[in-house]
Amino acid sequence: MAKNMPLRFYQLQDGYRYNSDSLLLVDFASNIIAPKCSKIKKPKKILDVGAGCGIIGMLCTQHFATESSLIEINSTMAKLARHNVHTNFYHKSQSAISISPMPKIYQADFLDPNIAHILEHKKFDFLITNPPFYREGALISENTFLREARYASVLPPDRWIVQSKKILAPRGGLIFCYHPDDLATILALLQKEGFTCEMLRLVYPLLSRKACLALLFARLNSKTPLSILPPLITHNSSCQSDFTQEVAHIYATYKTHSIKVFSSDIVEAHLAQPT
């Protein structure tokens, strides 16, 4: 599939919809999953946890030729992700020049004790996720889709970081984003579980504002020292459309087209799940 073709994503009108965090995370992942200096052509195996409509895993397939698996706990969102896979990749995967398999969707709880069996005992090079990180005490939404996508209690970091070791290859890595206020906790959890944070980048809405997002890469059994990358500033001014040059380039690179649907209108994709 051509990298310059926008992916089409059906997403919920009455639920959580992806935002710029997902695009910033995919761009951050580019130098980890597909570094320009690498001569290795074998596709990396990635697992997108809490995949939602599937944007992160599918962008990785499109741009980095990964062998992508996506896991989503909510059955409606899993159906939506499956539909998005077929919309964007089904006909392309039939081509003789297809360079990577279609992303595969698993509707399951990543925290299930039998996660290795659920994921068919695959071992992944990278786990990538934009996890829910709203703290306890925040106003809890009554909307199930919003609640599952936003609140850390649904996917606590102390549990998913431990769980990730069951499905990662030796020296496998975690690529994820989190709220900067929780960085000390996250770094301590990573160290406790045998991960070394190798790369960290903070995102700021304006040069004069506090950081609003942290992008992290941590690897199992690594002795590589932490590299703190230059800050990513998203806007030149308070005008919402006044993006910095770097962010404008990210949006132009990872182009998407959003189509909003109501959850009540979602049915299982009519094409069979690839095996």
Side-chain angles (χ1 to χ4, degrees):
M1 178 176 202
K3 292 183 179 181
N4 61 348
M5 293 291 291
L7 293 185
R8 294 161 56 89
F9 288 100
Y10 290 87
Q11 53 176 339
L12 293 183
Q13 177 70 44
D14 53 342
Y16 180 79
R17 297 185 290 278
Y18 68 82
N19 56 31
S20 60
D21 292 0
S22 295
L23 302 182
L24 300 182
L25 181 60
V26 171
D27 184 71
F28 175 74
S30 63
N31 288 324
I32 302 163
I33 297 176
K36 295 180 176 63
C37 61
S38 176
K39 296 180 180 180
I40 300 174
K41 300 301 181 183
K42 184 179 178 181
K44 296 293 186 181
K45 293 182 179 180
I46 70 160
L47 177 67
D48 178 5
V49 173
C53 72
I55 182 172
I56 293 174
M58 291 185 221
L59 283 174
C60 287
T61 298
Q62 181 189 28
H63 289 270
F64 315 140
T66 55
E67 185 178 324
S68 302
S69 298
L70 292 69
I71 185 168
E72 169 57 44
I73 190 171
N74 185 283
S75 60
T76 299
M77 293 304 296
K79 290 176 185 177
L80 193 62
R82 202 169 280 125
H83 185 78
N84 286 332
V85 164
H86 288 297
T87 297
N88 289 293
F89 292 98
Y90 180 73
H91 296 294
K92 289 82 177 178
S93 72
Q94 311 306 305
S95 168
I97 62 172
S98 178
I99 57 176
S100 56
M102 283 175 64
K104 185 166 185 178
I105 312 298
Y106 297 88
Q107 194 266 299
D109 182 357
F110 181 68
L111 301 179
D112 190 302
N114 297 313
I115 189 62
H117 176 72
I118 291 169
L119 295 173
E120 303 170 276
H121 299 282
K122 295 177 183 177
K123 290 294 183 180
F124 297 92
D125 299 298
F126 302 104
L127 180 156
I128 186 167
T129 183
N130 177 6
F133 50 69
Y134 280 24
R135 291 179 173 184
E136 292 295 327
L139 185 63
I140 303 295
S141 173
E142 294 182 2
N143 183 307
T144 300
F145 301 110
L146 295 179
R147 185 168 61 251
E148 291 178 347
R150 290 178 174 173
Y151 298 95
S153 58
V154 176
L155 193 65
D158 59 331
R159 295 187 62 194
W160 71 256
I161 289 174
V162 171
Q163 189 81 326
S164 69
K165 295 193 293 184
K166 296 180 181 180
I167 55 85
L168 284 174
R171 288 182 51 77
L174 306 175
I175 305 168
F176 65 103
C177 55
Y178 222 80
H179 197 283
D181 290 353
D182 295 314
L183 262 181
T185 300
I186 294 298
L187 292 173
L189 284 171
L190 290 169
Q191 185 178 39
K192 178 184 175 184
E193 298 304 328
F195 289 92
T196 298
C197 186
E198 294 187 2
M199 197 178 300
L200 170 65
R201 190 176 196 190
L202 294 177
V203 180
Y204 297 80
L206 291 168
L207 190 58
S208 59
R209 299 276 183 86
K210 286 178 57 177
C212 59
L213 192 70
L215 303 165
L216 303 98
F217 170 54
R219 192 190 298 274
L220 270 173
N221 306 314
S222 171
K223 295 183 179 179
T224 301
L226 172 63
S227 176
I228 301 178
L229 304 182
L232 174 56
I233 315 299
T234 62
H235 289 77
N236 295 307
S237 71
S238 57
C239 176
Q240 279 292 89
S241 60
D242 189 14
F243 302 118
T244 59
Q245 184 175 356
E246 182 177 6
V247 167
H249 176 72
I250 290 172
Y251 290 167
T253 300
Y254 305 103
K255 291 182 287 189
T256 62
H257 177 64
S258 175
I259 306 165
K260 297 180 178 65
V261 296
F262 286 95
S263 56
S264 57
D265 295 329
I266 297 172
V267 296
E268 190 64 80
H270 64 279
L271 294 172
Q273 172 69 37
T275 57

